[in-house]
Amino acid sequence: MNTRLTPPTKLAIQSFLAHGPVDTAAIDKFLRSHSFPLIEGRNATFVYRGPGDQVNLRHWVFGLGSSQPFTRVGNSDFWYHTLELPPQSRVEYKLEVILGGVGTWIRDPFNPNLAHDPFGANSVAHGQGYRTPNWTEHDPEARPGSMVEASLEGTPLGTQRVSIYLPARFRESRRYPLLIVHDGGDYLRYAALKTVLDNLIHRLEVAPLVAALTHPGDRIGEYPNNPSHAAFIAEHLLPFMEKRYPLYAAPAARCLMGASFGGVASLSTAWRYPGTFGRLLLQSGSFAFTDIGESKRGPVFAKVVDFVNAFREKPGRPSDKVYLSCGTYESLIYENRSLVPLLQSTGMDVKYEEARDGHNWENWRDRLRSGLSWLFPGPLWMVYE
C-alpha cells in the first residue's frame, strides 16, 4: 500500500514573501490581515515595523538562545521571525531594536497581550490551545471576600504588615483553614489571588479559607532558611491569626505558600517547625543545590544552596501534603523535578505539575486552582474535615 505524505502547509509569512514584490501597500495589507504573533500550528511568527539596524526577539525560555534575530524584508522597514511554539505554551518576551549601536528593549507594538510583574510588563505569546483560565477573571456572580490590614510589632523581623483575606459569608461561628502566602502583595497584584480565591470558593472547588498575605522587606535576606523569618511565621503570625480569627487549630488546616524564593521560605519554615504546617504549596521554588563542587548560580543563591543541601541530607517530614509546580521553560525545572522523589521518600503526599511556561506570576496564577483545590478541596470535591 502506498502512503502519500501531506506536504507541509506554507506559513502565512512564506506565502506573503513568495507572492510578489513586497512594497509598502503589500506590507500594510499583510499586517491588517493578521493578528500577531501569528500562531500556525507549532509556529509563531513575530513581526516588527520601524527603523533599526537589527531586531531581536528576547525571551525567557531556558535552553533556547535568549536572543533570536529577526529577518529584514529587502530594504524595507518590515522585519519578521518565526519561532517554534509548542501547544499550550505561554511565553513572555520583548523586542530588542538596535539602531546606531544602541539597543532598546520594547514591548511588541503588534501584540496587545501583556503580563505585569514588579519590574514592569512583558508581551506574551500564547501557543495553540492556551487560554487564560476563566476562574482568574472577575465573575459577577461570585460574592467577593474582604481584605483587612494588620500590623504585627515586636517580631524578629521588626514590625510586619500583613494583609488578611476573609472569604465571602465569613462567620465567627464557624472554623476555617489558614493559608499563609509569601509575597502576598505580588500574588494580589500579578497573580489575581483575591479574584482566584473568590471564584474558586464560589464554585465550591476550594473550601472557604482565611489567608494571611505577607509583605517582605528584604526577601533575598529573609527567605533562604532565615531563622528570624521562620520564627516570625510560626511564633508570631500563626498565633496572631489563631487568636484573632476562628481557625482550625490543626496542622492539616495550615498551609504555607510561595513562589521562587518564597517557595524556599515556605519549605524551610516547615522544616524548622515540623508538625506545625500540614500543607505546602510551592511554585517554581528556587531549590538550588550541589552534588559536587560549587553552585554556578552566584552569591544570591549561596544560603539557598546551603539549606537545600542540608534538607536533602536530612529532610525529616516537614509537612504531610505538598503541591509543587514548575514551568518547563524555567532554569529551575531540574531542581524542582529532583525534589519530588525526595519529598515522596519522607512519606509526604506529593502532587507535582509542569506547564509550558516560564518563571513568572501568570504561570503561578494558572496553577492555583490545581494546587488549592487539592490541598483544601471544597464541597465540589469532598467535604472538608
Side-chain angles (χ1 to χ4, degrees):
M1 180 176 67
N2 292 328
T3 302
R4 300 185 63 183
L5 298 177
T6 303
T9 303
K10 266 189 176 182
L11 298 178
I13 188 69
Q14 296 170 334
S15 298
F16 167 66
L17 296 175
H19 185 69
V22 178
D23 54 20
T24 298
I27 295 171
D28 289 341
K29 182 179 179 181
F30 179 74
L31 293 175
R32 287 196 305 268
S33 302
H34 302 283
S35 298
F36 298 95
L38 180 54
I39 306 300
E40 299 170 281
R42 295 177 64 90
N43 296 286
T45 299
F46 301 81
V47 298
Y48 173 74
R49 194 174 192 185
D53 301 321
Q54 184 177 340
V55 179
N56 299 311
L57 177 71
R58 307 285 289 195
H59 59 78
W60 290 271
V61 178
F62 181 73
L64 184 68
S66 61
S67 181
Q68 302 276 315
F70 277 55
T71 299
R72 186 203 296 265
V73 177
N75 293 319
S76 72
D77 62 352
F78 180 57
W79 307 70
Y80 74 92
H81 177 68
T82 299
L83 178 75
E84 181 183 3
L85 194 64
Q88 305 294 332
S89 292
R90 191 185 157 283
V91 173
E92 298 190 11
Y93 69 96
K94 279 190 170 75
L95 303 184
E96 179 187 30
V97 180
I98 301 174
L99 182 62
V102 178
T104 303
W105 288 37
I106 64 171
R107 297 192 290 268
D108 187 343
F110 289 95
N111 183 1
N113 296 319
L114 296 178
H116 296 83
D117 61 30
F119 305 101
N122 296 315
S123 296
V124 185
H126 295 155
Q128 191 174 60
Y130 174 86
R131 296 289 183 275
T132 300
N134 60 10
W135 46 265
T136 70
E137 300 171 343
H138 174 68
D139 181 352
E141 295 186 4
R143 290 187 60 176
S146 59
M147 299 298 301
V148 180
E149 294 297 317
S151 181
L152 276 68
E153 299 180 353
T155 83
L157 299 176
T159 300
Q160 291 291 301
R161 173 190 164 210
V162 180
S163 301
I164 300 163
Y165 170 86
L166 302 177
R169 302 182 178 88
F170 173 80
R171 297 290 183 271
E172 290 286 349
S173 58
R174 63 171 301 181
R175 298 283 177 179
Y176 298 89
L178 174 65
L179 177 68
I180 297 178
V181 185
H182 291 90
D183 298 305
D186 287 345
Y187 265 106
L188 286 176
R189 285 186 291 271
Y190 309 120
L193 180 59
K194 182 179 182 299
T195 299
V196 169
L197 290 174
D198 288 345
N199 289 343
L200 295 181
I201 292 172
H202 167 72
R203 298 182 185 198
L204 307 182
E205 296 190 40
V206 169
L209 56 79
V210 172
L213 284 61
T214 69
H215 304 271
D218 173 22
R219 64 192 303 274
I220 300 300
E222 295 174 13
Y223 280 5
N225 194 31
N226 184 322
S228 295
H229 171 81
F232 158 62
I233 296 292
E235 300 178 24
H236 292 262
L237 178 57
L238 176 59
F240 169 82
M241 294 297 296
E242 292 189 334
K243 181 178 180 180
R244 183 166 178 174
Y245 297 102
L247 304 177
Y248 287 105
R254 303 179 189 133
C255 179
L256 294 177
M257 167 176 154
S260 191
F261 265 52
V264 176
S266 297
L267 180 59
S268 65
T269 298
W271 187 57
R272 284 179 173 273
Y273 290 85
T276 303
F277 302 97
R279 302 288 183 266
L280 295 176
L281 199 161
L282 313 176
Q283 300 192 285
S284 303
S286 302
F287 301 122
F289 64 86
T290 57
D291 282 315
I292 188 171
E294 296 183 358
S295 171
K296 304 299 182 183
R297 290 189 176 273
V300 170
F301 279 82
K303 291 182 179 180
V304 173
V305 171
D306 289 343
F307 160 64
V308 180
N309 284 352
F311 177 76
R312 293 173 78 226
E313 185 71 24
K314 294 182 179 180
R317 188 186 168 98
S319 190
D320 298 317
K321 201 168 184 179
V322 186
Y323 174 88
L324 293 93
S325 69
C326 193
T328 59
Y329 300 154
E330 299 188 50
S331 66
L332 291 163
I333 188 66
Y334 167 75
E335 287 86 348
N336 278 265
R337 286 173 176 168
S338 299
L339 192 63
V340 174
L342 175 64
L343 296 177
Q344 292 171 329
S345 73
T346 69
M348 290 187 285
D349 191 4
V350 181
K351 182 176 182 179
Y352 175 64
E353 293 190 326
E354 296 182 355
R356 287 172 171 162
D357 209 327
H359 195 79
N360 60 72
W361 284 102
E362 291 194 3
N363 174 12
W364 304 329
R365 176 201 68 186
D366 288 1
R367 314 277 86 76
L368 288 176
R369 179 192 187 194
S370 180
L372 290 170
S373 65
W374 186 67
L375 293 171
F376 293 127
L380 183 64
W381 306 116
M382 65 170 62
V383 176
Y384 179 82
E385 296 180 355

